Amino acid sequence: MHGLMMDMPLLVSSLIRHADRWHGDTEIVSKTVEGGMHRYAYSEAHKRARRLAKALGALGAGMHDRVATLAWNGYRHFEIYYAVAGSGAVIHTINPRLFPEQIAYIANHAEDKFVFFDITFAPLIEKLVPQLKTVKGYVAMTGRAHMPKEKIPGLLCYEELVEAQDDDYEWPSFDDRTGACLCYTSGTTGNPRGVLLQHRTTIIHAYAASLPDVFCLSAREVVLPVVPMFHVNAWALPYCCPLAGAKMVLPGQHLDGESLYQLFESEEVTLSAGVPTVWLGLLNYMKQEKLRFSTLKRVVIGGSACPPAMIRILQEDYGLEVRHAWGMTEMSPLGTFAVLKAKHAKIDKEARYAIQAKQGFPIFGVDMKIVDQDGSELPRDGKAFGDLMVRGPWIISGYFKGEGGDPLRDGWFPTGDVVTIDPEGYMQITDRSKDVIKSGGEWISSIELENIAVAHPAIAEAAAIGVRHPQWDERPIIVAVKKPGGKVSKEELLRFFEGKVAKWWMPDDVVFVAELPHTATGKLSKLSLRQQFKDYKLSSAA
Ligand code: ADP
Protein backbone atom coordinates (compact mmCIF):
# COMPACT_ATOMS: atom_id res chain seq x y z
CA MET A 1 0.00 0.00 0.00
CA HIS A 2 1.42 3.39 -1.01
CA GLY A 3 1.33 6.27 1.44
CA LEU A 4 -0.97 9.17 0.71
CA MET A 5 1.40 12.07 0.34
CA MET A 6 1.89 14.58 -2.46
CA ASP A 7 4.26 13.33 -5.09
CA MET A 8 6.44 16.35 -5.70
CA PRO A 9 9.79 16.07 -7.45
CA LEU A 10 12.79 17.33 -5.49
CA LEU A 11 14.12 19.95 -7.88
CA VAL A 12 16.96 22.42 -7.44
CA SER A 13 14.67 25.30 -8.51
CA SER A 14 12.60 24.77 -5.35
CA LEU A 15 15.55 26.01 -3.25
CA ILE A 16 15.71 29.46 -4.79
CA ARG A 17 11.92 29.72 -4.97
CA HIS A 18 11.81 29.00 -1.23
CA ALA A 19 14.54 31.54 -0.47
CA ASP A 20 12.67 34.18 -2.49
CA ARG A 21 9.28 33.53 -0.83
CA TRP A 22 10.44 33.25 2.76
CA HIS A 23 13.80 35.00 2.92
CA GLY A 24 13.34 37.37 0.01
CA ASP A 25 15.20 40.25 1.65
CA THR A 26 18.15 38.18 2.89
CA GLU A 27 21.29 39.36 1.18
CA ILE A 28 23.81 37.87 -1.22
CA VAL A 29 26.93 40.02 -1.17
CA SER A 30 29.69 39.55 -3.74
CA LYS A 31 33.12 40.92 -4.37
CA THR A 32 33.07 41.37 -8.13
CA VAL A 33 35.78 40.68 -10.68
CA GLU A 34 35.20 44.16 -12.12
CA GLY A 35 36.14 45.64 -8.73
CA GLY A 36 33.89 46.73 -5.88
CA MET A 37 31.01 45.04 -4.10
CA HIS A 38 27.63 43.93 -5.36
CA ARG A 39 24.68 43.38 -3.04
CA TYR A 40 21.15 42.24 -3.57
CA ALA A 41 18.72 39.83 -1.95
CA TYR A 42 17.30 36.39 -2.74
CA SER A 43 14.16 37.88 -4.38
CA GLU A 44 16.29 39.77 -6.92
CA ALA A 45 18.57 36.74 -7.46
CA HIS A 46 15.51 34.62 -8.18
CA LYS A 47 14.18 37.20 -10.65
CA ARG A 48 17.46 37.33 -12.52
CA ALA A 49 17.86 33.53 -12.50
CA ARG A 50 14.44 33.22 -14.16
CA ARG A 51 15.34 35.86 -16.74
CA LEU A 52 18.54 33.96 -17.46
CA ALA A 53 16.62 30.69 -17.75
CA LYS A 54 14.47 32.36 -20.41
CA ALA A 55 17.58 33.64 -22.16
CA LEU A 56 19.06 30.13 -22.16
CA GLY A 57 15.90 28.83 -23.78
CA ALA A 58 16.11 31.57 -26.42
CA LEU A 59 19.73 30.63 -27.11
CA GLY A 60 18.71 27.03 -27.63
CA ALA A 61 20.04 25.43 -24.45
CA GLY A 62 17.42 22.78 -23.80
CA MET A 63 16.81 19.89 -21.38
CA HIS A 64 20.02 17.95 -20.59
CA ASP A 65 22.28 20.32 -22.55
CA ARG A 66 25.53 21.02 -20.73
CA VAL A 67 26.29 24.63 -19.91
CA ALA A 68 29.78 25.21 -18.56
CA THR A 69 31.08 27.86 -16.19
CA LEU A 70 34.62 29.08 -15.54
CA ALA A 71 33.95 31.43 -12.69
CA TRP A 72 34.77 32.51 -9.14
CA ASN A 73 32.29 32.60 -6.28
CA GLY A 74 29.98 35.45 -7.22
CA TYR A 75 26.33 36.35 -7.66
CA ARG A 76 26.24 35.71 -11.41
CA HIS A 77 27.69 32.24 -10.90
CA PHE A 78 24.97 31.65 -8.31
CA GLU A 79 22.29 32.75 -10.82
CA ILE A 80 23.71 30.38 -13.45
CA TYR A 81 23.58 27.48 -10.96
CA TYR A 82 19.81 27.94 -10.71
CA ALA A 83 18.97 29.11 -14.24
CA VAL A 84 20.74 26.16 -15.86
CA ALA A 85 19.71 23.31 -13.57
CA GLY A 86 16.30 24.85 -12.85
CA SER A 87 15.44 24.89 -16.56
CA GLY A 88 16.41 21.24 -16.97
CA ALA A 89 19.87 21.72 -18.46
CA VAL A 90 23.06 20.59 -16.70
CA ILE A 91 25.57 23.01 -15.20
CA HIS A 92 29.13 21.87 -15.75
CA THR A 93 31.41 23.75 -13.36
CA ILE A 94 34.98 23.78 -14.63
CA ASN A 95 38.00 24.34 -12.42
CA PRO A 96 39.92 27.15 -14.16
CA ARG A 97 43.11 26.13 -12.36
CA LEU A 98 43.37 22.97 -14.43
CA PHE A 99 45.82 22.92 -17.32
CA PRO A 100 44.19 24.22 -20.54
CA GLU A 101 44.56 20.77 -22.15
CA GLN A 102 42.63 19.24 -19.23
CA ILE A 103 39.90 21.88 -19.55
CA ALA A 104 39.61 21.20 -23.28
CA TYR A 105 39.43 17.48 -22.57
CA ILE A 106 36.61 17.76 -20.04
CA ALA A 107 34.62 20.38 -22.01
CA ASN A 108 34.74 18.13 -25.08
CA HIS A 109 33.96 15.05 -23.02
CA ALA A 110 30.99 16.80 -21.43
CA GLU A 111 29.95 18.16 -24.87
CA ASP A 112 29.41 21.61 -23.42
CA LYS A 113 27.07 23.72 -25.57
CA PHE A 114 27.67 27.10 -23.92
CA VAL A 115 30.49 28.44 -21.79
CA PHE A 116 29.91 31.24 -19.27
CA PHE A 117 33.08 32.81 -17.91
CA ASP A 118 34.29 35.54 -15.58
CA ILE A 119 36.21 38.20 -17.49
CA THR A 120 39.42 37.28 -15.65
CA PHE A 121 39.39 34.08 -17.71
CA ALA A 122 38.98 35.77 -21.13
CA PRO A 123 42.64 35.11 -22.16
CA LEU A 124 42.24 31.45 -21.18
CA ILE A 125 38.99 31.17 -23.15
CA GLU A 126 40.60 32.76 -26.21
CA LYS A 127 43.28 30.07 -26.06
CA LEU A 128 40.71 27.31 -25.57
CA VAL A 129 38.27 28.30 -28.35
CA PRO A 130 40.00 26.39 -31.20
CA GLN A 131 40.03 23.22 -29.08
CA LEU A 132 36.41 23.26 -27.90
CA LYS A 133 34.50 21.19 -30.41
CA THR A 134 30.90 21.34 -29.22
CA VAL A 135 30.54 24.90 -27.93
CA LYS A 136 27.97 27.05 -29.76
CA GLY A 137 28.38 30.23 -27.77
CA TYR A 138 30.45 32.02 -25.13
CA VAL A 139 29.01 34.38 -22.54
CA ALA A 140 31.16 36.91 -20.65
CA MET A 141 29.74 37.27 -17.14
CA THR A 142 29.72 41.07 -17.06
CA GLY A 143 28.00 44.19 -18.42
CA ARG A 144 28.71 45.90 -21.76
CA ALA A 145 31.23 48.31 -20.20
CA HIS A 146 33.63 45.51 -19.22
CA MET A 147 33.36 43.20 -22.21
CA PRO A 148 36.71 41.54 -22.91
CA LYS A 149 38.73 42.49 -25.97
CA GLU A 150 39.99 38.98 -26.68
CA LYS A 151 38.99 37.30 -29.92
CA ILE A 152 36.16 35.01 -28.90
CA PRO A 153 33.72 34.22 -31.72
CA GLY A 154 30.09 35.23 -31.19
CA LEU A 155 30.81 36.49 -27.70
CA LEU A 156 27.66 37.37 -25.74
CA CYS A 157 27.22 39.73 -22.82
CA TYR A 158 25.63 38.27 -19.67
CA GLU A 159 23.88 41.46 -18.58
CA GLU A 160 22.43 42.00 -22.04
CA LEU A 161 21.05 38.46 -22.07
CA VAL A 162 19.39 39.00 -18.68
CA GLU A 163 18.07 42.46 -19.54
CA ALA A 164 16.50 41.27 -22.80
CA GLN A 165 14.09 38.99 -20.88
CA ASP A 166 11.35 39.53 -18.31
CA ASP A 167 10.86 37.34 -15.28
CA ASP A 168 7.55 35.89 -16.37
CA TYR A 169 8.87 32.35 -16.14
CA GLU A 170 7.75 29.27 -14.22
CA TRP A 171 10.37 26.67 -13.38
CA PRO A 172 9.51 23.49 -15.27
CA SER A 173 8.71 20.26 -13.44
CA PHE A 174 10.41 17.05 -14.49
CA ASP A 175 11.78 13.77 -13.19
CA ASP A 176 13.98 14.57 -10.21
CA ARG A 177 16.48 11.91 -11.22
CA THR A 178 17.49 14.20 -14.09
CA GLY A 179 21.15 15.31 -14.03
CA ALA A 180 21.58 18.78 -12.54
CA CYS A 181 25.28 19.35 -12.19
CA LEU A 182 28.39 17.78 -13.69
CA CYS A 183 31.71 17.95 -11.81
CA TYR A 184 34.93 16.31 -12.94
CA THR A 185 37.39 14.83 -10.48
CA SER A 186 40.83 16.29 -10.95
CA GLY A 187 42.16 12.97 -12.19
CA THR A 188 45.56 12.77 -10.53
CA THR A 189 45.80 9.43 -12.31
CA GLY A 190 44.33 9.01 -15.79
CA ASN A 191 41.78 11.30 -17.39
CA PRO A 192 39.36 13.35 -15.30
CA ARG A 193 36.03 11.60 -14.76
CA GLY A 194 32.61 13.20 -14.68
CA VAL A 195 30.32 12.93 -11.66
CA LEU A 196 26.74 13.81 -12.58
CA LEU A 197 24.61 14.88 -9.62
CA GLN A 198 20.84 14.50 -9.80
CA HIS A 199 18.26 17.07 -8.69
CA ARG A 200 16.93 14.65 -6.12
CA THR A 201 20.31 13.77 -4.65
CA THR A 202 21.33 17.44 -4.61
CA ILE A 203 18.29 18.31 -2.48
CA ILE A 204 18.69 15.38 -0.10
CA HIS A 205 22.39 16.17 0.26
CA ALA A 206 21.60 19.84 0.93
CA TYR A 207 19.14 18.87 3.69
CA ALA A 208 21.75 16.65 5.28
CA ALA A 209 24.51 19.23 4.90
CA SER A 210 22.45 21.78 6.81
CA LEU A 211 22.04 19.59 9.93
CA PRO A 212 23.44 20.82 13.28
CA ASP A 213 26.32 18.33 13.25
CA VAL A 214 27.24 19.23 9.69
CA PHE A 215 27.29 22.90 8.59
CA CYS A 216 24.63 23.81 11.17
CA LEU A 217 22.89 26.27 8.87
CA SER A 218 20.05 28.57 9.78
CA ALA A 219 18.50 31.89 8.82
CA ARG A 220 20.80 33.46 11.42
CA GLU A 221 24.04 32.49 9.74
CA VAL A 222 26.16 34.59 7.41
CA VAL A 223 28.11 32.17 5.25
CA LEU A 224 31.27 32.82 3.28
CA PRO A 225 32.25 29.81 1.17
CA VAL A 226 35.96 30.10 0.42
CA VAL A 227 35.78 26.70 -1.20
CA PRO A 228 35.11 27.50 -4.84
CA MET A 229 31.83 27.02 -6.66
CA PHE A 230 33.91 25.36 -9.39
CA HIS A 231 35.01 22.59 -7.03
CA VAL A 232 32.18 20.24 -6.05
CA ASN A 233 29.68 23.06 -5.75
CA ALA A 234 31.47 24.81 -2.91
CA TRP A 235 30.61 21.78 -0.76
CA ALA A 236 26.90 22.36 -1.51
CA LEU A 237 26.72 25.75 0.23
CA PRO A 238 25.05 27.48 -2.78
CA TYR A 239 22.19 24.98 -2.27
CA CYS A 240 22.17 24.91 1.54
CA CYS A 241 22.12 28.68 2.06
CA PRO A 242 18.85 29.26 0.13
CA LEU A 243 17.41 26.17 1.83
CA ALA A 244 18.14 27.67 5.25
CA GLY A 245 17.66 31.33 4.33
CA ALA A 246 21.24 32.16 5.30
CA LYS A 247 22.99 35.30 4.05
CA MET A 248 25.75 34.54 1.54
CA VAL A 249 29.03 36.37 1.10
CA LEU A 250 30.88 35.47 -2.10
CA PRO A 251 34.56 36.43 -2.16
CA GLY A 252 35.34 36.46 -5.90
CA GLN A 253 38.91 35.88 -6.92
CA HIS A 254 40.83 37.34 -3.95
CA LEU A 255 41.34 34.57 -1.42
CA ASP A 256 44.43 35.94 0.32
CA GLY A 257 44.43 36.49 4.08
CA GLU A 258 43.88 40.24 3.97
CA SER A 259 40.97 40.17 1.49
CA LEU A 260 39.21 37.37 3.33
CA TYR A 261 39.70 38.96 6.74
CA GLN A 262 38.23 42.26 5.58
CA LEU A 263 35.21 40.49 4.13
CA PHE A 264 34.67 38.40 7.29
CA GLU A 265 34.62 41.59 9.32
CA SER A 266 32.69 43.97 7.04
CA GLU A 267 29.90 41.47 6.29
CA GLU A 268 29.77 40.00 9.83
CA VAL A 269 30.39 36.48 8.59
CA THR A 270 29.60 33.73 11.12
CA LEU A 271 30.50 30.57 9.19
CA SER A 272 33.09 29.73 6.57
CA ALA A 273 34.47 26.69 4.78
CA GLY A 274 37.67 25.92 2.90
CA VAL A 275 40.77 23.77 2.47
CA PRO A 276 43.61 23.99 5.04
CA THR A 277 45.90 26.14 2.82
CA VAL A 278 43.36 28.96 2.86
CA TRP A 279 43.40 29.13 6.65
CA LEU A 280 47.18 29.04 6.60
CA GLY A 281 47.24 32.27 4.58
CA LEU A 282 44.60 33.88 6.76
CA LEU A 283 46.33 32.92 10.02
CA ASN A 284 49.68 34.28 8.83
CA TYR A 285 48.09 37.60 7.96
CA MET A 286 46.13 37.87 11.20
CA LYS A 287 49.15 37.03 13.32
CA GLN A 288 51.29 39.60 11.54
CA GLU A 289 48.66 42.30 11.96
CA LYS A 290 47.59 41.16 15.47
CA LEU A 291 43.93 40.86 14.44
CA ARG A 292 40.90 39.12 15.93
CA PHE A 293 37.56 37.98 14.50
CA SER A 294 34.47 39.85 15.73
CA THR A 295 31.69 37.64 14.36
CA LEU A 296 33.16 34.46 12.86
CA LYS A 297 32.38 31.47 15.08
CA ARG A 298 32.72 28.31 13.04
CA VAL A 299 34.95 27.09 10.21
CA VAL A 300 34.65 23.85 8.30
CA ILE A 301 38.00 22.55 7.06
CA GLY A 302 38.37 19.65 4.67
CA GLY A 303 39.48 18.57 1.25
CA SER A 304 42.76 17.43 2.77
CA ALA A 305 43.76 16.58 6.32
CA CYS A 306 43.53 19.55 8.66
CA PRO A 307 46.67 19.55 10.83
CA PRO A 308 45.77 19.29 14.55
CA ALA A 309 48.05 22.28 15.18
CA MET A 310 45.79 24.40 12.98
CA ILE A 311 42.66 23.25 14.83
CA ARG A 312 44.32 24.19 18.13
CA ILE A 313 45.37 27.68 17.00
CA LEU A 314 41.99 28.51 15.45
CA GLN A 315 40.16 27.37 18.57
CA GLU A 316 42.48 28.58 21.33
CA ASP A 317 43.90 31.77 19.87
CA TYR A 318 40.98 32.85 17.72
CA GLY A 319 37.97 31.48 19.61
CA LEU A 320 36.51 29.53 16.67
CA GLU A 321 34.95 26.10 16.52
CA VAL A 322 36.71 24.00 13.89
CA ARG A 323 34.84 21.23 12.14
CA HIS A 324 37.11 18.86 10.30
CA ALA A 325 35.25 17.30 7.38
CA TRP A 326 35.86 14.66 4.77
CA GLY A 327 34.26 13.94 1.44
CA MET A 328 34.96 13.63 -2.25
CA THR A 329 33.53 14.67 -5.61
CA GLU A 330 31.99 11.22 -6.02
CA MET A 331 30.03 11.85 -2.80
CA SER A 332 28.47 15.21 -3.77
CA PRO A 333 30.86 15.74 -1.71
CA LEU A 334 30.04 15.38 2.01
CA GLY A 335 30.76 12.18 3.94
CA THR A 336 31.85 12.74 7.53
CA PHE A 337 32.21 15.60 10.03
CA ALA A 338 34.29 15.48 13.21
CA VAL A 339 32.07 16.85 15.95
CA LEU A 340 31.83 15.77 19.56
CA LYS A 341 29.06 13.69 21.11
CA ALA A 342 27.25 14.38 24.39
CA LYS A 343 29.43 11.89 26.24
CA HIS A 344 32.51 13.92 25.32
CA ALA A 345 31.32 16.97 27.25
CA LYS A 346 33.59 16.26 30.20
CA ILE A 347 36.64 14.72 28.56
CA ASP A 348 39.87 16.66 28.80
CA LYS A 349 41.12 19.05 26.18
CA GLU A 350 43.73 16.73 24.68
CA ALA A 351 41.20 13.92 24.23
CA ARG A 352 38.87 16.39 22.52
CA TYR A 353 41.61 17.45 20.13
CA ALA A 354 42.35 13.81 19.33
CA ILE A 355 38.71 13.39 18.22
CA GLN A 356 38.68 16.63 16.22
CA ALA A 357 41.82 15.59 14.34
CA LYS A 358 39.91 12.60 12.94
CA GLN A 359 37.71 12.98 9.88
CA GLY A 360 34.55 12.20 11.84
CA PHE A 361 31.43 10.07 11.76
CA PRO A 362 29.07 9.70 8.80
CA ILE A 363 26.24 12.09 8.11
CA PHE A 364 22.90 10.28 7.99
CA GLY A 365 22.65 8.97 4.43
CA VAL A 366 26.24 7.80 4.22
CA ASP A 367 27.18 4.28 5.24
CA MET A 368 30.79 3.13 5.39
CA LYS A 369 33.01 0.14 6.07
CA ILE A 370 36.67 -0.77 5.84
CA VAL A 371 37.88 -3.82 4.01
CA ASP A 372 41.16 -5.67 3.54
CA GLN A 373 42.69 -6.58 0.19
CA ASP A 374 40.29 -9.53 -0.20
CA GLY A 375 37.26 -7.35 0.44
CA SER A 376 36.59 -8.77 3.93
CA GLU A 377 35.29 -6.24 6.42
CA LEU A 378 37.76 -5.14 9.11
CA PRO A 379 36.85 -4.36 12.72
CA ARG A 380 35.94 -0.86 13.83
CA ASP A 381 38.51 -0.82 16.59
CA GLY A 382 40.43 2.32 15.68
CA LYS A 383 43.49 0.19 14.90
CA ALA A 384 42.80 -1.96 11.84
CA PHE A 385 43.21 0.07 8.70
CA GLY A 386 41.96 -0.76 5.26
CA ASP A 387 40.20 0.59 2.18
CA LEU A 388 37.23 2.77 2.92
CA MET A 389 34.04 1.82 1.07
CA VAL A 390 30.92 3.99 1.07
CA ARG A 391 27.34 3.87 -0.11
CA GLY A 392 24.35 6.15 0.06
CA PRO A 393 21.83 8.15 -1.96
CA TRP A 394 24.26 10.94 -2.93
CA ILE A 395 27.17 8.69 -3.87
CA ILE A 396 27.84 7.90 -7.54
CA SER A 397 26.70 4.73 -9.25
CA GLY A 398 28.88 5.32 -12.33
CA TYR A 399 30.97 7.99 -14.03
CA PHE A 400 29.61 10.14 -16.86
CA LYS A 401 29.42 8.19 -20.12
CA GLY A 402 30.48 5.04 -18.30
CA GLU A 403 34.10 6.20 -18.16
CA GLY A 404 36.30 3.72 -16.32
CA GLY A 405 33.63 0.98 -16.25
CA ASP A 406 31.60 0.09 -13.17
CA PRO A 407 33.28 1.76 -10.18
CA LEU A 408 31.26 -0.16 -7.57
CA ARG A 409 32.23 -3.33 -5.73
CA ASP A 410 29.21 -5.26 -4.43
CA GLY A 411 27.20 -2.06 -4.30
CA TRP A 412 29.88 -0.07 -2.43
CA PHE A 413 32.07 2.70 -3.80
CA PRO A 414 35.79 2.31 -3.00
CA THR A 415 37.03 5.75 -1.99
CA GLY A 416 40.75 5.16 -2.48
CA ASP A 417 41.34 6.29 1.10
CA VAL A 418 43.02 4.10 3.69
CA VAL A 419 41.42 4.61 7.09
CA THR A 420 40.60 3.36 10.56
CA ILE A 421 37.17 3.55 12.19
CA ASP A 422 37.06 3.61 16.00
CA PRO A 423 34.40 1.96 18.17
CA GLU A 424 32.59 5.31 18.52
CA GLY A 425 32.25 5.58 14.72
CA TYR A 426 34.95 8.19 14.06
CA MET A 427 36.83 7.58 10.83
CA GLN A 428 40.45 8.63 10.50
CA ILE A 429 42.33 8.80 7.22
CA THR A 430 45.78 7.29 7.34
CA ASP A 431 46.40 8.11 3.73
CA ARG A 432 45.17 8.17 0.20
CA SER A 433 46.04 4.67 -0.95
CA LYS A 434 48.48 6.06 -3.50
CA ASP A 435 50.24 8.32 -0.97
CA VAL A 436 50.86 5.76 1.75
CA ILE A 437 54.59 5.15 2.37
CA LYS A 438 55.48 1.48 2.07
CA SER A 439 58.51 0.59 4.14
CA GLY A 440 59.72 -2.95 4.77
CA GLY A 441 56.31 -4.39 3.89
CA GLU A 442 54.56 -2.10 6.40
CA TRP A 443 52.67 1.14 5.87
CA ILE A 444 53.59 4.54 7.22
CA SER A 445 50.94 7.26 7.26
CA SER A 446 52.13 10.34 5.39
CA ILE A 447 49.36 12.40 6.99
CA GLU A 448 50.53 11.58 10.51
CA LEU A 449 54.11 12.60 9.72
CA GLU A 450 52.88 15.85 8.13
CA ASN A 451 50.72 16.64 11.14
CA ILE A 452 53.76 16.34 13.42
CA ALA A 453 55.97 18.45 11.15
CA VAL A 454 53.50 21.34 10.99
CA ALA A 455 53.07 21.25 14.77
CA HIS A 456 56.65 22.58 14.95
CA PRO A 457 56.42 26.35 15.52
CA ALA A 458 58.83 27.18 12.66
CA ILE A 459 57.08 25.08 10.00
CA ALA A 460 54.31 26.47 7.79
CA GLU A 461 53.59 23.52 5.54
CA ALA A 462 55.02 20.02 5.11
CA ALA A 463 54.65 16.97 2.92
CA ALA A 464 55.78 13.44 3.74
CA ILE A 465 56.62 11.26 0.78
CA GLY A 466 58.28 7.90 0.30
CA VAL A 467 61.58 7.85 -1.59
CA ARG A 468 63.19 4.73 -2.95
CA HIS A 469 65.41 2.74 -0.61
CA PRO A 470 67.36 -0.39 -1.63
CA GLN A 471 66.64 -2.26 1.56
CA TRP A 472 63.26 -0.93 2.75
CA ASP A 473 61.56 -0.29 -0.60
CA GLU A 474 60.60 3.23 0.54
CA ARG A 475 61.59 5.51 3.40
CA PRO A 476 59.78 8.68 4.46
CA ILE A 477 61.26 12.13 3.98
CA ILE A 478 59.77 15.46 4.95
CA VAL A 479 59.68 18.30 2.45
CA ALA A 480 58.86 21.43 4.39
CA VAL A 481 58.30 25.17 4.04
CA LYS A 482 59.40 27.34 6.97
CA LYS A 483 57.20 30.14 8.32
CA PRO A 484 58.39 33.66 7.50
CA GLY A 485 61.27 34.19 9.97
CA GLY A 486 60.96 30.58 11.21
CA LYS A 487 64.28 29.06 12.30
CA VAL A 488 64.79 25.31 12.51
CA SER A 489 67.53 22.99 11.29
CA LYS A 490 67.08 19.60 9.70
CA GLU A 491 68.39 17.90 12.85
CA GLU A 492 66.08 19.90 15.12
CA LEU A 493 63.04 19.00 13.05
CA LEU A 494 64.00 15.32 13.08
CA ARG A 495 64.42 15.44 16.87
CA PHE A 496 60.90 16.89 17.07
CA PHE A 497 59.55 13.55 15.80
CA GLU A 498 61.23 11.56 18.58
CA GLY A 499 58.73 9.97 20.94
CA LYS A 500 55.84 11.00 18.70
CA VAL A 501 56.07 8.06 16.29
CA ALA A 502 57.46 4.53 16.26
CA LYS A 503 61.20 4.47 15.53
CA TRP A 504 60.77 2.95 12.08
CA TRP A 505 58.32 5.73 11.16
CA MET A 506 61.01 8.37 11.80
CA PRO A 507 61.70 10.34 8.60
CA ASP A 508 65.11 9.63 7.10
CA ASP A 509 65.60 13.16 5.91
CA VAL A 510 64.25 16.71 5.80
CA VAL A 511 64.42 19.00 2.79
CA PHE A 512 63.48 22.67 3.15
CA VAL A 513 61.90 24.32 0.11
CA ALA A 514 60.48 27.78 -0.62
CA GLU A 515 57.08 26.37 -1.58
CA LEU A 516 55.26 23.10 -2.12
CA PRO A 517 53.35 22.16 -5.27
CA HIS A 518 49.54 22.16 -5.03
CA THR A 519 46.86 20.61 -7.22
CA ALA A 520 44.13 22.58 -8.96
CA THR A 521 41.97 22.01 -5.89
CA GLY A 522 44.54 23.43 -3.48
CA LYS A 523 45.82 20.12 -2.12
CA LEU A 524 49.44 19.12 -1.77
CA SER A 525 50.47 17.54 -5.03
CA LYS A 526 52.25 14.45 -3.79
CA LEU A 527 52.43 13.14 -7.34
CA SER A 528 54.61 16.03 -8.56
CA LEU A 529 56.67 15.89 -5.35
CA ARG A 530 57.32 12.19 -5.80
CA GLN A 531 58.41 12.90 -9.37
CA GLN A 532 60.65 15.72 -8.17
CA PHE A 533 62.30 13.40 -5.63
CA LYS A 534 62.32 10.20 -7.64
CA ASP A 535 66.11 10.13 -7.88
CA TYR A 536 66.69 11.43 -4.36
CA LYS A 537 69.60 9.67 -2.67
CA LEU A 538 69.17 9.01 1.02
CA SER A 539 72.33 8.96 3.09
CA SER A 540 70.82 5.95 4.93
CA ALA A 541 70.81 4.13 1.58
CA ALA A 542 74.51 4.73 0.94
P1 ADP B 1 40.31 15.57 -6.14
O1 ADP B 1 41.15 16.27 -5.13
O2 ADP B 1 40.89 14.28 -6.63
O3 ADP B 1 39.66 16.44 -7.13
P2 ADP B 1 38.22 15.44 -4.28
O4 ADP B 1 38.22 16.90 -4.08
O5 ADP B 1 36.96 14.73 -4.52
O6 ADP B 1 39.08 15.01 -5.44
O7 ADP B 1 39.07 14.83 -3.13
C1 ADP B 1 38.68 13.73 -2.38
C2 ADP B 1 39.81 13.23 -1.56
O8 ADP B 1 40.41 14.26 -0.79
C3 ADP B 1 39.41 12.19 -0.57
O9 ADP B 1 39.28 10.92 -1.15
C4 ADP B 1 40.55 12.26 0.44
O10 ADP B 1 41.68 11.52 0.03
C5 ADP B 1 40.92 13.72 0.42
N1 ADP B 1 40.31 14.40 1.57
C6 ADP B 1 39.18 15.12 1.60
N2 ADP B 1 38.95 15.60 2.84
C7 ADP B 1 39.95 15.16 3.62
C8 ADP B 1 40.28 15.30 5.01
N3 ADP B 1 39.55 16.01 5.86
N4 ADP B 1 41.39 14.67 5.45
C9 ADP B 1 42.18 13.96 4.61
N5 ADP B 1 41.92 13.80 3.32
C10 ADP B 1 40.83 14.39 2.82
Side-chain angles (χ1 to χ4, degrees), residues 392-418:
W394 58 76
I395 295 165
I396 63 157
S397 59
Y399 289 100
F400 188 51
K401 292 183 173 172
E403 203 67 46
D406 180 5
L408 304 190
R409 270 197 258 146
D410 297 330
W412 293 79
F413 175 72
T415 61
D417 287 325
V418 177

Side-chain angles (χ1 to χ4, degrees), residues 208-427:
S210 306
L211 285 168
D213 272 350
V214 189
F215 281 120
C216 190
L217 282 177
S218 74
R220 293 163 301 288
E221 299 289 344
V222 179
V223 184
L224 188 152
V226 184
V227 49
M229 289 165 74
F230 57 70
H231 187 216
V232 267
N233 303 319
W235 300 346
L237 287 168
Y239 301 120
C240 305
C241 291
L243 178 150
K247 172 179 166 180
M248 293 181 80
V249 181
L250 302 172
Q253 62 183 317
H254 299 293
L255 305 179
D256 58 283
E258 182 174 2
S259 307
L260 284 179
Y261 178 77
Q262 281 169 359
L263 214 47
F264 282 141
E265 289 300 297
S266 63
E267 293 305 323
E268 303 183 338
V269 172
T270 58
L271 165 66
S272 188
V275 294
T277 37
V278 162
W279 307 111
L280 201 67
L282 183 69
L283 282 175
N284 279 345
Y285 171 74
M286 289 182 68
K287 188 162 182 210
Q288 230 166 39
E289 305 292 319
K290 301 193 174 50
L291 298 167
R292 285 283 170 275
F293 292 115
S294 350
T295 53
L296 190 66
K297 27 176 224 262
R298 195 174 331 111
V299 291
V300 175
I301 305 184
S304 47
C306 180
M310 181 177 277
I311 300 180
R312 205 177 278 264
I313 292 173
L314 284 166
Q315 296 196 157
E316 284 178 16
D317 299 353
Y318 293 94
L320 302 182
E321 182 205 342
V322 174
R323 290 193 174 179
H324 189 194
W326 167 87
M328 60 196 307
T329 310
E330 287 87 340
M331 302 177 71
S332 304
L334 302 178
T336 61
F337 268 59
V339 288
L340 301 176
K341 300 187 180 186
K343 64 176 179 187
H344 299 133
K346 295 202 174 82
I347 60 173
D348 71 32
K349 203 167 83 178
E350 293 310 313
R352 270 210 307 272
Y353 277 124
I355 295 174
Q356 288 192 290
K358 299 190 175 194
Q359 277 71 13
F361 56 79
I363 304 165
F364 170 74
V366 174
D367 192 10
M368 53 174 57
K369 65 174 181 182
I370 38 175
V371 297
D372 64 16
Q373 278 160 351
D374 307 323
S376 310
E377 188 164 355
L378 293 165
R380 289 191 270 172
D381 59 6
K383 291 187 192 84
F385 55 87
D387 295 316
L388 177 64
M389 317 282 284
V390 292
R391 64 178 179 190
W394 58 76
I395 295 165
I396 63 157
S397 59
Y399 289 100
F400 188 51
K401 292 183 173 172
E403 203 67 46
D406 180 5
L408 304 190
R409 270 197 258 146
D410 297 330
W412 293 79
F413 175 72
T415 61
D417 287 325
V418 177
V419 314
T420 59
I421 302 178
D422 71 21
E424 292 179 345
Y426 291 87
M427 181 272 281

